[in-house]
Amino acid sequence: MRINARLDEEYAHKLTYIQQQTDQAVTDVIKTAIDLYYKQLQQQKPLDLLTQTGFIGCGQADANLSINYKSILTDNLKDKYGYS
């Protein structure tokens, strides 16, 4: 696969620095970066990903919902449909 990328001055400087320090070609630097990022993503646990994205903890509910769900649902249905 061929990649054509535009880098701003900051990233161009960083890439040049990495090349000078490692004596690698741009292709090898990119391959190494992809490998490192891939390994990092593979090591993350699903719980960590859900927490980092803000998915866990984004909802609000009764702290005892798993215990009291039947009575809470019944009360909500009564309120919604006017049952007594």
Side-chain angles (χ1 to χ4, degrees):
M1 169 191 298
R2 294 188 62 78
I3 297 175
N4 183 10
R6 294 175 194 251
L7 300 176
D8 62 20
E9 189 175 324
E10 177 186 357
Y11 284 100
H13 176 71
K14 288 177 181 180
L15 179 59
T16 302
Y17 178 79
I18 292 169
Q19 283 184 276
Q20 290 171 348
Q21 295 299 312
T22 63
D23 198 30
Q24 292 181 327
V26 173
T27 300
D28 294 327
V29 172
I30 292 172
K31 285 179 181 179
T32 301
I34 290 172
D35 284 341
L36 290 171
Y37 194 46
Y38 182 81
K39 287 177 186 176
Q40 178 186 0
L41 291 173
Q42 291 293 316
Q43 292 174 354
Q44 288 184 333
K45 297 176 184 175
L47 175 60
D48 294 337
L49 291 173
L50 292 172
T51 304
Q52 289 172 2
T53 59
F55 182 78
I56 293 181
C58 67
Q60 295 179 356
D62 186 300
N64 296 319
L65 182 62
S66 64
I67 298 168
N68 302 327
Y69 69 94
K70 288 182 182 178
S71 62
I72 292 170
L73 179 60
T74 301
D75 292 343
N76 286 340
L77 290 174
K78 284 179 185 177
D79 292 342
K80 183 175 182 177
Y81 295 107
Y83 298 123
S84 49

